[in-house]
Amino acid sequence: MRNHPGNRPYREQTVAPPGDLEWREEGGSWIFRGTCPVCAHETEKELFDLVPGTVTKGLPWGRKQPEVRRERTIDCECAITHRGAEERNGCGAGWKVRLPDEALS
């Protein structure tokens, strides 16, 4: 098991998103789930700031509504503490995701 990717030490890096990345709406927030492409552990991230009504809508006399960022960074948050991670979970990998249109409506 020495060469299993899960044995990798913690290292911050940007990688391509997992091939099995999926997302779902649950209770007003969005859950992103997949297998980390670096350590091969399952990881899940909940984005709370997409809950409808949490973005300031502005005043009726012309203040613009702030634009919601379509691209976000999801970090590996697997339940494993990798070597060198101190007390953090995850291997340090992160990847960019583009929010589904449904998340912005």
Side-chain angles (χ1 to χ4, degrees):
M1 182 128 153
R2 185 175 192 96
N3 293 322
H4 184 274
N7 291 336
R8 294 180 185 217
Y10 180 90
R11 184 174 74 118
E12 292 183 5
Q13 57 187 311
T14 302
V15 298
D20 64 348
L21 185 66
E22 55 186 44
W23 55 86
R24 71 185 185 285
E25 190 271 335
E26 186 175 291
S29 59
W30 283 83
I31 312 287
F32 288 81
R33 180 185 203 130
T35 304
C36 176
V38 174
C39 72
H41 294 126
E42 188 173 297
T43 185
E44 183 174 285
K45 175 74 172 183
E46 183 170 8
L47 297 178
F48 295 100
D49 61 337
L50 300 178
V51 177
T54 60
V55 177
T56 306
K57 299 217 186 250
L59 301 173
W61 53 85
R63 190 181 299 176
K64 288 177 138 183
Q65 180 176 348
E67 189 174 321
V68 177
R69 293 184 339 247
R70 288 195 65 95
E71 190 174 271
R72 302 291 176 93
T73 299
I74 304 286
D75 295 320
C76 174
E77 293 187 359
C78 69
I80 306 301
T81 302
H82 291 264
R83 286 177 284 130
E86 298 161 8
E87 295 182 19
R88 296 173 286 212
N89 284 348
C91 68
W95 47 89
K96 301 276 187 205
V97 296
R98 185 161 174 83
L99 300 176
D101 290 336
E102 309 90 82
L104 303 174
S105 57

